[in-house]
Structure formats: structure tokens, C-alpha cells
């Protein structure tokens, strides 16, 4: 008959196979590899545990991003009695399972055989091939039986079946064998106990062989023992030689007690198990082999999908996985399905809610899985988000960004190719656009359904106020938007907040499942791992299912039990293990913690559980591993290691108790589990130590990055580290101690930079608030509280620029006020080396405190604020209203409504907006509209004033442009009172006509009168509509009116720049204050006035200075707060503070601290505080010249001492010019040029060059020999007839026009002359033209250009600005040779330094940049929050000093830290 080996070679592996290419895997579709583990059971407990508990979980985590996972087929238990009662049934059970481990029938299975000394259950009767599920794969077994062969073990049959030649051969073997050798030590020691050697021995003995008395029942005597032994040896030889099999040998040890009885019987066979030791090499080899096979056999190209698509795949896979074990609850499934698939009513939102573990997520998953495919096939939109299903999924911002992307992708796929596929980048813009974009999309596709499903909303991180549930569809959202969410009843308030945000939501409680459904769920869960529980009274095992279900009806509890059971390996003890389970999820967790403490070590389990429990919002697995290693390194000293610090060995045991299976960030799925850990392990001391451990570790991960130029890459989880560090610094500091730990984080510019770069600005702002609140409770931290408040202000105003220019973050920090903690803290850090030309130090930085607290990147007609604790700002921006976070400046909601006035309700929960359509009321939290005026409400103007007064909303109407249109405005204003009630439609209870055009209103609470400001007078009305007072003599037109906080007085501001205070009781003018502005325009004057919060000082603004001015009642200017670059429309006081809000027509709102004049605060910007239009340096850099609207001045450039000042009537287009011989300084007025002596600024003559009143002189230049002057004109009305002119000024007093260039055809803003004294250039709306000065012949023209142009003398090139870029072209050909980019608004000026190798540029974007002309790159950017639009820039030739004017009325003198 021959040996088994010979027969196998001739029969089983005789056919040839065709080699296959690696299998293509569709990105995102999970590949589930079922790995059959074959061995005898009693002697391989340790090996199987290593495979099931360590190797496979480790591989699955490593392969998760490739969507590949291994499911072990481990039949140690779970094979029911009827499935193993005889040879046929056990063959059918085991060999069919082997076939289920083939990905296709033509391939080899994924099979792992452990070859030991034991043989296994001998099969004396063979099941014919037709008895198996795939008969074609069992032809060999028919041949085996017909050859007369019997007596082969079931383990051998598994191996033989696995290795038969497939018809399709994979790229790399999927069948693995590992032959074990046990190192028993020296013969005289023999580690394995004599009475337990049977566990590891070959179990068959010859009939006449002697067996020790204590083991005689543990061996089987048979005359075929030698045959079985030979078959075992021959099969191993055969397996080693098969090409498509991977064979390895491994060595293990044995420790005393490793073999033990599980069921000991007298006079009969007992049961037991054996555990080997030292399996590390085996573990590493198996993991290496399996990963290699996976990588070789599967190919996946993830480059074809973007990050959003990859995230989407992970969320939808999570839904499929959860749905796979869901059973029952038919009625609930039907109700939820109807909600998702129909639009029968306007109840857009369904809330699935219940207690922990009730099965909400399973229900949601089953419904979602059922409706997704048919919905999408019908062209509908489906968005799925499962919190904690993948890294970052618990961040609302990330979900909203992906939702935006998905909506845009949907619209683009429906033909809207012009819509951007990119969602808003900032959290603020994302939040502001969320509702509007969703609603607009749904309205555009009314016949499509938009289904949004979010599971476990209570597990969101609290950032972006996720728990407020503002992001749910609003009440006004169209009914084709359907939303289904799940949440716990209590955690984080999400259930209550969701009901408040969506009062009409469909509430669906998820209650207890039926016993049949629970049994089905348990069976389905265990079936995934080839496990089964008995469902009848088995004589040996009992009714395992009944016992388990009697413990708890919680689906989550039962799933956790299934997870624990699938890793339990001892068949005889399964029933007892189930009986030992406690009856609640928390008790089960405690029970398992004890189990794990025995298995993994108590200290290890305490540390792991403590880390997860104390973590802010979860830890990544590799973070935990590194944390454990960090502690090992820190605490062990010269001692042995504390423990095996590999988290992977406990991960699989913990996984079912972690949120959504872990989802990247591992944290306990419910607070009750944290309480269990705290009660069991975490006393106050251990909690403090653990937080300190986390804090120290996270800081060690950031330390190398907290410098000017980090030299090493950060940790892979660096982004998460940044989010955790401050939290643990606060937790690790006892409440009575000083918070000095924050010096390295919240008071470190580099840490701030890193947080901003990783888009964590809002989290950072929240941490400042938390730390400040903590400081306020301890007097030792008062100074730290002040410092943190200043840092918080800095972050709010600089975050956008730091994100844009992170390399200059430090320079931004040191340009704060000298007294600022931001400056002082940053100066304590190591000073980085300076580079040539930068950094630039703000040399004339104002000495006083910086009064600007916050800058909001939105502005408009009106503004309103809550107290700081309410944290709300509302802005009326004309075509919309905005709700912002007061402290951070983040836009919370954009309200799509016409808005020219805003107010807040007394509880700050509602925003009132007035506009061209009447008024509307909005919820602050959700941004949803609560009420509005109906179609019957009519008015001729817009609502320019709105205020909550008692039980009324009071409004006043006026012209939309307020002061700018007063001269031709004749429509009478009107006042209306609307009752504050709960109706959707607002109807005025009282309405009356003022009797004159109105521009502003106020309410004097001490008299209950409403005042209206109109042309030259103020009219007061009682709340009944009767006119009670008229005050005349308020100027030609009264722009503004404001009431005293307590006294019966009001202020008015008029076009005549006189602020008037009136006593309304005596109807007299109390005092006047003349504004300091000396010049204005047709609509100049005091556009807004107000009292300071104390009522002791006056606040005003006018459009020329664009500043907030503080006056005493005597008319003395106390302070001037700058920062606006456009006309301020409104001044409002922040309730409960000494702060004022100002909003301008250019889109900026500022929050100022109002200085207390009694403190003697130096006036801001006192060194050079005026609107400078031009700056220039002498060649040696010793002198600085400036020209403003008032004077020309000469300064000592080193000390900034003012040397000479002469009056000069400049205007906003004034320019200057310093002649090459440094004899003269020229300055231009509206129509002419004045010449001043370089030495003493004495006037050396005046030349009128533009007699035409329509035009103005926009720029001029003098040739290097001083003989000619080139000027450029900008006409206001007839812009196409603007021209350039050339004057002969060799005799300045007898200067005459010698040429005119009138072919330009548009407004010109810049000009220059070449050093050859023969060529000139102009630039403006019609591009850049180069021509001869003698004939005005055009040499070449460029279609680009505008505000600045300059010849480069040394390189014979021409530089000119065009929009936000600067171009340099060849002067001879006109061809561009380089382009300088980096600004994002108009470039207004440039200055060449260091031999024309570098160029400073100034821009309306509020930055000054330094460009390297040789490298064609920006090498430095200067930004300061007080600056708005920079005008002209001048620089000393060596680059030591830079002077640049700003629209905010300040001159910035910047000194280079290193110059040549």
C-alpha cells in the first residue's frame, strides 16, 4: 500500500496549478480572511491564545487602513455535540470550515497548522465527497477511502485537505505550518511534571506498552499506534516539501504548572490543557508570515480616492458591520425606514434614544443599511457618520467638512460643475455656511431626498459646541431633508438639546429587546467566530444560551460577553465561565478587570485602564504603547522592566468596552466604565500621578517642535498630542498650586503656532478660557490669569496670519505692546539667529497698553453684544446678519436676512434683526428663524434701529446708507412697537410716523422716551407714540443719537463735527465738543456717538480718522483708539464691561477696552501718529521724511527724533520724491507740486500742473539729473481723458510743460522716470506704458499694472504692481522676467534695498513683505493686528530701516534685526 507520504504525493498534489496575479481589492470594501487554526487542542492552548489574542488583533490593526481583517476559526469550543458525535459529522464540520477559509473555491484556504507530538482523533470511517458542501474539492477523500486507507486523524485530514493543489495558485502561500519543539531542559531536570506529560505526548501506545499508573487512562492503547506515529512523521515530511506551503519550526519553553487538569476523574480519562512558554519568536514569525502573505496577495490603489471618500468608506463599513448582527425589532425598523424614505411631513429629524447598551446603534445601522442602496439608486443623497468609527470621527468640525464635501460632490455629479468641490477651510466659515448650504441644496433639488444619519452624537468631542446640537436641520429646512440620529438619554445633554433645537423631532425610544431577538443577536455574533452556545439542556454543558440571557437583556452587555467568550479557550469550562459573569455591564467590566489582572499583571492593567480613564478624549493604540514604554524608561532605573509594555496583548480583551470598538481613539464607551476604573484603581493620588505621566509624556513629544525651526519630525500622533497636553497639565496641577506648567504651552509662541497649524485654534481658545477660570479661583494665579487673557487676545487676532506665515509667529508675538505678557514671555525664549534683512522690529511701538481686545472679520451697519459670560456678538452686515462668539471671534451662524440693525434679547438667547424686509427673530444657539414680520407689514425705508424694550421690540426706519445719503433723503422715518410673544408672525401693536427723514434712534430708559435723529433736530416720543419733545439746533443733519445710562441726557453727532449733549428735562443744550478732525468730505461728521459705560466720558467717530475717540465733557481728547481702515458706522457698549464695539463699512468689527483717563495711560501711537501718505530715506539712511495730510516732516532715522516739521496741505493721493542729489524733497498736492529744501524743509517753490478741477495729481517723479518732472493724472468724471505730462524744471521758477502723453485712456496711479533721463512709465487701470519723455512715443505697453511702478537702475528692469502681485520685466523688451506672489490684496508700494537684490512691498492686506528678487520668493512677512491697509513704503538703501504708512493713521517704523 505504501506510506501515506507516497500516496499523498501521487494523488493529492499531482495536478498543476495556474499562478494568479495579486487579487484586486476595491478600496474601502473589507476583505475578511477566515484563518483556520488546525492542531490538537489540549497541548496548544498557549499557541492558540497567542494567535487569537495577540497576533491576529495586531495584524488587524495594522491592516485596518487597507480594509483587511483576519477572523480566526478556532474550534476549541463552540462545536455542538450533534456536530461531533461521529467521524462523519466531525469531518463535515471541520473540513467544511476549512473550505470556508478559501476566498474562492479555486484557491488554497488561509490555514495555519500547529504540528506537535499529538496526533488527534483517529477517523476510521470516511465521509464520501457528496456529503460535503463542495463535493468537487473532496475527490481525494473518495480515492483515499477506495485505496483501503483508514485510521487517519481529523487533524491530518484538515492538513491534507488544505494543501491539495488549487486550480488557481496565489502569489504567496496562504497555508502555513509551524512545528513545535519543547525545550524541556537537561534530562535530570525535565521541566514537565511526570503526571502531566500526557498532555504533550503522542497519545497512542502499543497494546503491550507499559504506562505509569497515574497516567494510564490518559493514553489510548492500540495495535496501530506505530502506524499512527509513522503517519504523523510522513505527513510532516510531505507538508514540508509542498511548494505552495510555508513551513517553519519554532522552539518554546515550559514553566512548572503549565499543564493542568480541567476535569479530573477517578478510574476514567481526565481532561486537561497544557501551556508552553517563551512564545515571542513564534508570535513574531507568524505575524511576519501572515502580513507578508496579505501584502503579496492583495493590491489596492487608494490614490484614486481622496481623504473624504476614504472617511466615508470607513463610516459605511461601520454601519455594515453593526447591521450584520442586528435581528428583530421589526416595528421599530419599519417606523425608522418610513422616516428615512418618505417626506410625508415636516418633521425632519428622528431621534433614537435610550440607555447605554440598549441597541440604538444596531437599530440605526440596520435601518441605514437597508435604505442606503435603494435611495442612492433613485438618485437621492445619503450621508452616514458613525462617531468613533475612525480617527477624528468624534470631531464635529470634521463631520461637517465631510458633509459639505459630500453635498458639493452630489451637486457636481448633477451637472453643477462650476460649484467648488472644496468645503470651507476654517471652522468659523464651516459653521456659518452649514445650514445655508444644506438648505440651498435641498431647495435646488426638491424631488430628491437628503438623508443624514449620525450615530452616537453624545460621543462627539465638545468642540464647536457639538453637544448644543445646533447643527441639526433647522425648523425652516425643507421636508426633503431627513435626519436620523442616536443618543443616550443623559450623557452630555445631547438628547435634551436635540429636542430644544428640533422641537418637532420624532422621538423614538429604544427599549428592551425580546428574548428571541437577543438569542438571535448572540448567535449571529458568535457565528462570525464559528462559536455556538447550547440552546437545550445538554448533559455536560447545560443550556448555555439560557444562562447567558438570564444575566441581562442589554444588547451591549451580551455583545461584550460574546467578545469575552470568543477568546476563551477551554471547552470544559465555558459553561462555568458564563455562570460566573456578573449581571451588569459595569460589574462585568470589573469582573473582567480582575481576570485580566491575573492574566496580564495587576500593575499593567491598572496603568492601561488608568491611562484610558484619565485621557481627555481617548488615546491611540501607539500612544498607549509609547506611554507605557515612557514609564518603563522613567521609573525602572537600574531595575528590571516593570512589565511587558505592549498594549496589544490586552487590546482585544478591552476592545468591546471601548467606544465603537475603538475607532482610532480608544476610550470607554460610557462614563459608568470610567467610574468602575476609578472605584477600583484611581484614588486621588493615582489620578494625579497618571495625569502627570500623561502631561510629561505629551510634553516630551512636543518639546523638539517648540522652536523656530524644528530639526526632527514629530511623532505620528503629534496632532493628538497637541490636543491633550494642556488638559493634562491642568489636571496634574493641584488646585492650590501655581499653574507654572502653562509657561511651556499656553504662554509659548511656538506651542501656539503648532496648535494653529494643526487647525486647533478653537480648542486652544477653549483651553485659555478653562485655564483663566481655574486661575480666578486661586489668588496665587492672578498674574497668570492676566497673562493668559492677553495670550488669548493675541491668538484671536493672529491665528489667521500665523496659519499663513507660521515662520514669522515669533516676530508677531514680540511686536505686541512692551508691557504685554505675550512680548515678555516670548522674549524669555532663546533668541533665534537673525537673517539678513529680518526679522523686522517695530521700533516706534506705542508705549501704552494696547486697547484693542478682539478683531472680528465681519462688519457692517450695526453691532450688539451680550455680557462676556453670554459670549455673543451680533453684526448687521447689510445682506446678512451674523452671530459670533464674543471671546474667540468665530462666526457661529450666518443669518440669511436683510440686516441694517441688530439687538439681543435680555437673556441673550435671541437676536433681533432689522432690514429692508422688516424684522426677524433668530435663535442664538441654533441660528434658526423664530419669527418675522408678515407680508402685511409695510415701510418705505429700512429698519436702522432695533431694541428690546420691556415687553416690546422697538424699531425705527431710515435710509439704508444712513449719513452718506442725507442730502437727498426725504422719506419720513417711522417707529414701531412689536409685542414680544411666541407667534411666528410679528405684528406691530403701535406704529407712528416721525415726521422727518431719520438716521438714528435711541431709547432713554429713565424717561421711557424714544429719540429720533433727523435733519438738524431731535424728536422725542413716548411709548404711546405721542411727541413729547423737540430739540433744534443739532447741525444741518444729525447723524447719531445716544442716551445716557442713568441720567436724562442724550448725545447727538452731526455733519458739522460738533458733538452736543442735551438735557431732555430742561430741553437745553448742556455742552458741545468740537471734534479734532480738521478736514472732511461732503458726508463727513460724527457718524456715531455714545457715552462710555460710566456715563462720564464721550465716545465718537468720524469717517476721516476712522478711529474711536474718547473725550472728557470739557472737550479734551483723552485717547484715540485705532485699528479700522474704513469708516466706522456704529459704536456700542458691551454690557457689564468697560468695553466698546465698533463696526465699519469695510467688513471689520473691533472690541476695545475703554481706557480710564484717570490712570494716565499714554496715548496710543504717540511717536508718529498721523495718516502718512509717503515716506522716504536719505541715501545714508540717517534721515526719514514723511508727508501726511497736515505736514511734511524730517526725522532722525536712528532715534526717531522729530527734527523739522512744516505745514503741508496733503490729500489721500499725496506722494513725495527725494532728488538724487539730495538737495530737494518734493511733495504733491491735489493739483501741484511743492519743493522743499532737504536741509531745513524751507519751501523752494510751487508748481501747479493740473488746472482742470476734475483731475488730481496721483503720482510724479523727477529725473536723476533734476531737469524734468513726470506727472500722472487721475480724473474723477472723465477718467478716459486722464493724461501724463512732462515739465521742464531745470529752472523750477520758470518751469513749463514740454510734453503730454494723452494716449493712455484711463486713470493713472503711478509713474517713474528712468536713470537715463529719457524714458518714463505710467501705470493704472489701462496697464503699464513705457514711453519717451521727449516725444511721448510708446516703447511698449503691458496690460497689467496699477498702484506702483519703479525702474530698477542697476539691472535695467522695471517693477510694477498688478493686484496682489508684483512683476519685474525687461526694460528693453517688455517681457516679464519674474513674478512676486504672496499678498492677497492690492500692492500699494515697493522699496528696493541691498543693491536691488531685495524688495519690500506694502499691501492693503495689512502686511509688509520682503522678497528675494534672485530667488523670486517671499522671505519675510511683517504683520501687526493694529495695522489694516498699508500705503506707501520707504526703506533705507541698506535695508536697516523700513517706514510704511497705514490707513489706520499710524506710521510703522521697522528696524531690521540684521542688515548689510
Amino acid at each position: 500500500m505504501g506510506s501515506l507520504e507516497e500516496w499523498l504525493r501521487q494523488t493529492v498534489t499531482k495536478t498543476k496549478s495556474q499562478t494568479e496575479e495579486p487579487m484586486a481589492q476595491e478600496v474601502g470594501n473589507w476583505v475578511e480572511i477566515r484563518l483556520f487554526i488546525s492542531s490538537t487542542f489540549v497541548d496548544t492552548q498557549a499557541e492558540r491564545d497567542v494567535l487569537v489574542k495577540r497576533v491576529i488583533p495586531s495584524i488587524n490593526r495594522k491592516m485596518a487602513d487597507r480594509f483587511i481583517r483576519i477572523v480566526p476559526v478556532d474550534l476549541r469550543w463552540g462545536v455542538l455535540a450533534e456536530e461531533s458525535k461521529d467521524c462523519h459529522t466531525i469531518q463535515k464540520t471541520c473540513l467544511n470550515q476549512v473550505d470556508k477559509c478559501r476566498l474562492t473555491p479555486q484557491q488554497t484556504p488561509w490555514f495555519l497548522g500547529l504540528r506537535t507530538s499529538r496526533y488527534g482523533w483517529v477517523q476510521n470511517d470516511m465521509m464520501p465527497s457528496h456529503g460535503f458542501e463542495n463535493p468537487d474539492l473532496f475527490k481525494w477523500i473518495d480515492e483515499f477511502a477506495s485505496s483501503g486507507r483508514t485510521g487517519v486523524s481529523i487533524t491530518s485530514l484538515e492538513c491534507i485537505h488544505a494543501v491539495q493543489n488549487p486550480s488557481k495558485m496565489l502569489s504567496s502561500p496562504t497555508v502555513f505550518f509551524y512545528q513545535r519543539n519543547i525545550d524541556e531542559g537537561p534530562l535530570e531536570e525535565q521541566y514537565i511534571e511526570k503526571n502531566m506529560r500526557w498532555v504533550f505526548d503522542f497519545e497512542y501506545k502499543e497494546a503491550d506498552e507499559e504506562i505509569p499508573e497515574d497516567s494510564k487512562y490518559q493514553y489510548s492503547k492500540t495495535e496501530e499506534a506505530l502506524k499512527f506515529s509513522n503517519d504523523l512523521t510522513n505527513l510532516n515530511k510531505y507538508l514540508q516539501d509542498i511548494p505552495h506551503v510555508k513551513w517553519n519550526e519554532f522552539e518554546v519553553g515550559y514553566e512548572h504548572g503549565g499543564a493542568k487538569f480541567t476535569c479530573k476523574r477517578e478510574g476514567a480519562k481526565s481532561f486537561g490543557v497544557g501551556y508552553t512558554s517563551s512564545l515571542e519568536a513564534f508570535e513574531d514569525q507568524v505575524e511576519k508570515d501572515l502580513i507578508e502573505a496579505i501584502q503579496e496577495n492583495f493590491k489596492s490603489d487608494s490614490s484614486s480616492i481622496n481623504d473624504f471618500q476614504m472617511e466615508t468608506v470607513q463610516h459605511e463599513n461601520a454601519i455594515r458591520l453593526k447591521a450584520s448582527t442586528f435581528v428583530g425589532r421589526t416595528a421599530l425598523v419599519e417606523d425608522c425606514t418610513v422616516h428615512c424614505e418618505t417626506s410625508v411631513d415636516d418633521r425632519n429629524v428622528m431621534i433614537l434614544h435610550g440607555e447605554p447598551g440598549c441597541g440604538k446603534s444596531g437599530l440605526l445601522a440596520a435601518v441605514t443599511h437597508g435604505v442606503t442602496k435603494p435611495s442612492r439608486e433613485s438618485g437621492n443623497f445619503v450621508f452616514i457618520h458613525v462617531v468613533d468609527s475612525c480617527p477624528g470621527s468624534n470631531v464635529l468640525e470634521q463631520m461637517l467638512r465631510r458633509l459639505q464635501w459630500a453635498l458639493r460632490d452630489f451637486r457636481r455629479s448633477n451637472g453643477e460643475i462650476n460649484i467648488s468641490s472644496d468645503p470651507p477651510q476654517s471652522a468659523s466659515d464651516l459653521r456659518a455656511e452649514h445650514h445655508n448650504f444644506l438648505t440651498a441644496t435641498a431647495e435646488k433639488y426638491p424631488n430628491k431626498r437628503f438623508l443624514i444619519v449620525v450615530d452616537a452624537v453624545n460621543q462627539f468631542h465638545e468642540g464647536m459646541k457639538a453637544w448644543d446640537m445646533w447643527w441639526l436641520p433647522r425648523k425652516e429646512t425643507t421636508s426633503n431633508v431627513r435626519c436620523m440620529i442616536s443618543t443616550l438619554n443623559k450623557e452630555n445633554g445631547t438628547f435634551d438639546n436635540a429636542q430644544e433645537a428640533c422641537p418637532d423631532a420624532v422621538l423614538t425610544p429604544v427599549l428592551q429587546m425580546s428574548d428571541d431577538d437577543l438569542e438571535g443577536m448572540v448567535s449571529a455574533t458568535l457565528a462570525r467566530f464559528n462559536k455556538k452556545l447550547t440552546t437545550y439542556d445538554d448533559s455536560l454543558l447545560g443550556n448555555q444560551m439560557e444562562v447567558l440571557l438570564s444575566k441581562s437583556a442589554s444588547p451591549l452587555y451580551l455583545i461584550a460577553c460574546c467578545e469575552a467568550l470568543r477568546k476563551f479557550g477551554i471547552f470544559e469550562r465555558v459553561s462555568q465561565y458564563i455562570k460566573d459573569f456578573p449581571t451588569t455591564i459595569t460589574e462585568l467590566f470589573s469582573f473582567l478587570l480582575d481576570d485580566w489582572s491575573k492574566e496580564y499583571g495587576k500593575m499593567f492593567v491598572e496603568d492601561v485602564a488608568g491611562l484610558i480613564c484619565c485621557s481627555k478624549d481617548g488615546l491611540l493604540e501607539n500612544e498607549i504603547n509609547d506611554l507605557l514604554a515612557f514609564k518603563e524608561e522613567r521609573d525602572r532605573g537600574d531595575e528590571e522592566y516593570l512589565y511587558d509594555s505592549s498594549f496589544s496583548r490586552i487590546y482585544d480583551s478591552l476592545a468591546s468596552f471601548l467606544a465603537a470598538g475603538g475607532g482610532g481613539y480608544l476610550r470607554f464607551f460610557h462614563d459608568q466604565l470610567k467610574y468602575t476604573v476609578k472605584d477600583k484603581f484611581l484614588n486621588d493620588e493615582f489620578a494625579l500621578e497618571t495625569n502627570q505621566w500623561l502631561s510629561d509624556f505629551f510634553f516630551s513629544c512636543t518639546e523638539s517642535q517648540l522652536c523656530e525651526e524644528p530639526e526632527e519630525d514629530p511623532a505620528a500622533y503629534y496632532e493628538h498630542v497637541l490636543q491633550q497636553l494642556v488638559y493634562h497639565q491642568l489636571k496634574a496641577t493641584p488646585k492650590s498650586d501655581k499653574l507654572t506648567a502653562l509657561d511651556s504651552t499656553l504662554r509659548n509662541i511656538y506651542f501656539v503656532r503648532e496648535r494653529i497649524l494643526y487647525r486647533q485654534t478653537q480648542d486652544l481658545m477653549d483651553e485659555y478660557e478653562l485655564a483663566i477660570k481655574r486661575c480666578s479661583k486661586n489668588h496665587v494665579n492672578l498674574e497668570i490669569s492676566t497673562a493668559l487673557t492677553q495670550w488669548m487676545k493675541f491668538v484671536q487676532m493672529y491665528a489667521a496670519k500665523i496659519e499663513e506665515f507660521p515662520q514669522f509667529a515669533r516676530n508677531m508675538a514680540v511686536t505686541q505692546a512692551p508691557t504685554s505678557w505675550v512680548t515678555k514671555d516670548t522674549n524669555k525664549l532663546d533668541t533665534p539667529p537673525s537673517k539678513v534683512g529680518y526679522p523686522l522690529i517695530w521700533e516706534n511701538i506705542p508705549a501704552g497698553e494696547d486697547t484693542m481686545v478682539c478683531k472680528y472679520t465681519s462688519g457692517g451697519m450695526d453691532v450688539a453684544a451680550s455680557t462676556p459670560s453670554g459670549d455673543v456678538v451680533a453684526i448687521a452686515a447689510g445682506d446678512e446678519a451674523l452671530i459670533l462668539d464674543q471671546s474667540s471671534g468665530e462666526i457661529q451662524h450666518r443669518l440669511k436676512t436683510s440686516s441694517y440693525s441688530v439687538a439681543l434679547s435680555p437673556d441673550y438667547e435671541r437676536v433681533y434683526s432689522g432690514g429692508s424686509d422688516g424684522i426677524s427673530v433668530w435663535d442664538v444657539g441654533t441660528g434658526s428663524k423664530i419669527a418675522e414680520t408678515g407680508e402685511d407689514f409695510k415701510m418705505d425705508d429700512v429698519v436702522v434701529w432695533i431694541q428690546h424694550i420691556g415687553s416690546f421690540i422697538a424699531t425705527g426706519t431710515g435710509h439704508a446708507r444712513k449719513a452718506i445719503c442725507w442730502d437727498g433723503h426725504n422719506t419720513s422715518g417711522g417707529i414701531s412697537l412689536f409685542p414680544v410673544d411666541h407667534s411666528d408672525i410679528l405684528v406691530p401693536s403701535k406704529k407712528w410716523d416721525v415726521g422727518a427723514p431719520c438716521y438714528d434712534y435711541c431709547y432713554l430708559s429713565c424717561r421711557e422716551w424714544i429719540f429720533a435723529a433727523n435733519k438738524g433736530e431731535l424728536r422725542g416720543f413716548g411709548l404711546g407714540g405721542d411727541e413729547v419733545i423737540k430739540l433744534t439746533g443739532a447741525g444741518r443733519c444729525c447723524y447719531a443719537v445716544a442716551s445716557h445710562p442713568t441720567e436724562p441726557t442724550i448725545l447727538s453727532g452731526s455733519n458739522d463735527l460738533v458733538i452736543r449733549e442735551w438735557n431732555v428735562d430742561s430741553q437745553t443744550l448742556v455742552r458741545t465738543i468740537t471734534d479734532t478732525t480738521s478736514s472732511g468730505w461732503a458726508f463727513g461728521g460724527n457718524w456715531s456717538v455714545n457715552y462710555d459705560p460710566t456715563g462720564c466720558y464721550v465716545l465718537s467717530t468720524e469717517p476721516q480718522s476712522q478711529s474711536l475717540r474718547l473725550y472728557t465733557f470739557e472737550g479734551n481728547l483723552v485717547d484715540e483708539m485705532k485699528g479700522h481702515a474704513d469708516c466706522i458706522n456704529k459704536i456700542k457698549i458691551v454690557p457689564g464691561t468697560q468695553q466698546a464695539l465698533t463696526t465699519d463699512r469695510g467688513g471689520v468689527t473691533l472690541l476695545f477696552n475703554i481706557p480710564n483717563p484717570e490712570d494716565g495711560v499714554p496715548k496710543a501711537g504717540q511717536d508718529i501718529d498721523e495718516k502718512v501718505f509717503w515716506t522716504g530715506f536719505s541715501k545714508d539712511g540717517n534721515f526719514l521724511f514723511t508727508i501726511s495730510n497736515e505736514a511734511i516732516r524730517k526725522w532722525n532715522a536712528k532715534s526717531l527724533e522729530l527734527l523739522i516739521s512744516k505745514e503741508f496741505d496733503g490729500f489721500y493721493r499725496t506722494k513725495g520724491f527725494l532728488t538724487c542729489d539730495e538737495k530737494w524733497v518734493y511733495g504733491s498736492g491735489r493739483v501741484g507740486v511743492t519743493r522743499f529744501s532737504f536741509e531745513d524743509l524751507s519751501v523752494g517753490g510751487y508748481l501747479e500742473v493740473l488746472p482742470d478741477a476734475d483731475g488730481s495729481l496721483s503720482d510724479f517723479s523727477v529725473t536723476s539729473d533734476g531737469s524734468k518732472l513726470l506727472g500722472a493724472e487721475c480724473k474723477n468724471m472723465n477718467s478716459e481723458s486722464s493724461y501724463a505730462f512732462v515739465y521742464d524744471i531745470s529752472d523750477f521758477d520758470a518751469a513749463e510743460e514740454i510734453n503730454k502723453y494723452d494716449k493712455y485712456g484711463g486713470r493713472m496711479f503711478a509713474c517713474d522716470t528712468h536713470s537715463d533721463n529719457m524714458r518714463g512709465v505710467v501705470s493704472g487701470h489701462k496697464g503699464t506704458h513705457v514711453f519717451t519723455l521727449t516725444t511721448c512715443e510708446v516703447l511698449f505697453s503691458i496690460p497689467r499694472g496699477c498702484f506702483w511702478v519703479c525702474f530698477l537702475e542697476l539691472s535695467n528692469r522695471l517693477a510694477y504692481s498688478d493686484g496682489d502681485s508684483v512683476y519685474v520685466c525687461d526694460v528693453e523688451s517688455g517681457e516679464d522676467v519674474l513674478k512676486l506672489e504672496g499678498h492677497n490684496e492690492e500692492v500699494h508700494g515697493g522699496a528696493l534695498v541691498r543693491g536691488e537684490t531685495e524688495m519690500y512691498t506694502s499691501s492693503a492686506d495689512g502686511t509688509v513683505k520682503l522678497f528675494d528678487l534672485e530667488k523670486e520668493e517671499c522671505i519675510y512677512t511683517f504683520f501687526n493686528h493694529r495695522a489694516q491697509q498699508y500705503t506707501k513704503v520707504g526703506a533705507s538703501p541698506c535695508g536697516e530701516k523700513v517706514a510704511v504708512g497705514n490707513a489706520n493713521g499710524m506710521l510703522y517704523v521697522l528696524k531690521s534685526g540684521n542688515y548689510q
Side-chain angles (χ1 to χ4, degrees), residues 805-950:
F805 311 115
Q807 67 273 41
F808 310 129
R810 180 192 174 98
N811 199 209
M812 296 180 201
V814 297
T815 57
Q816 303 309 296
T819 57
S820 166
W821 280 105
V822 179
T823 301
K824 292 191 286 187
D825 288 340
T826 305
N827 283 332
K828 292 176 185 177
L829 302 174
D830 292 339
T831 303
S834 298
K835 299 184 180 181
V836 175
Y838 65 94
L840 292 177
I841 308 302
W842 186 7
E843 193 173 18
N844 64 323
I845 187 169
E849 294 288 344
D850 179 10
T851 56
M852 192 188 301
V853 177
C854 196
K855 180 188 289 187
Y856 307 95
T857 56
S858 301
M861 308 302 293
D862 195 11
V863 62
S866 68
T867 60
S869 60
D871 207 22
V872 179
V873 167
I875 296 173
D879 58 352
E880 65 178 353
L882 301 103
I883 301 174
L884 302 93
D885 186 286
Q886 188 179 129
S887 57
S888 71
E890 179 186 8
I891 297 175
Q892 305 295 309
H893 303 290
R894 291 186 183 274
L895 312 179
K896 289 303 178 184
T897 182
S898 169
S899 185
Y900 291 87
S901 55
V902 286
L904 291 166
S905 61
D907 58 8
Y908 308 126
E909 292 183 359
R910 295 185 175 192
V911 170
Y912 308 122
S913 172
S916 58
D917 303 324
I919 68 171
S920 51
V921 184
W922 304 77
D923 185 275
V924 167
T926 64
S928 57
K929 187 188 295 183
I930 298 171
E932 61 185 334
T933 46
E935 295 180 358
D936 294 339
F937 182 74
K938 304 294 183 184
M939 57 184 185
D940 296 323
D941 273 340
V942 304
V943 177
V944 296
W945 171 74
I946 188 167
Q947 187 173 335
H948 188 117
I949 300 174

Side-chain angles (χ1 to χ4, degrees), residues 107 266 461 479 491 568 634 647 851 911 958 1066 1255 1260 1386:
Q107 299 173 353
E266 296 296 329
H461 185 272
S479 61
E491 188 176 41
F568 190 78
R634 185 189 66 180
F647 174 66
T851 56
V911 170
S1066 62
F1260 72 98
E1386 294 277 0

Side-chain angles (χ1 to χ4, degrees), residues 1171-1175 1187-1189 1210-1212 1214-1215 1431-1432:
K1171 192 167 288 189
V1172 172
F1173 302 124
W1174 174 82
T1175 66
I1187 303 179
S1188 68
N1189 60 335
F1211 80 121
Y1212 68 99
T1214 285
K1215 300 294 190 301
T1431 53
K1432 294 300 181 183

Side-chain angles (χ1 to χ4, degrees), residues 9-65:
R9 293 186 189 283
Q10 295 169 6
T11 309
V12 178
T13 54
K14 65 182 180 181
T15 58
K16 291 186 177 181
S17 304
Q18 178 183 347
T19 303
E20 263 194 343
E21 292 292 320
M23 291 176 286
Q25 178 195 356
E26 186 177 342
V27 176
N29 283 354
W30 276 98
V31 172
E32 191 167 271
I33 298 172
R34 295 170 62 81
L35 177 68
F36 190 94
I37 302 174
S38 171
S39 75
T40 49
F41 292 151
V42 297
D43 63 331
T44 57
Q45 292 294 313
E47 287 80 4
R48 283 178 175 262
D49 281 351
V50 163
L51 292 173
V52 172
K53 295 181 179 181
R54 297 189 63 157
V55 174
I56 292 173
S58 175
I59 293 172
N60 285 346
R61 290 191 295 282
K62 291 175 181 177
M63 292 292 108
D65 60 349

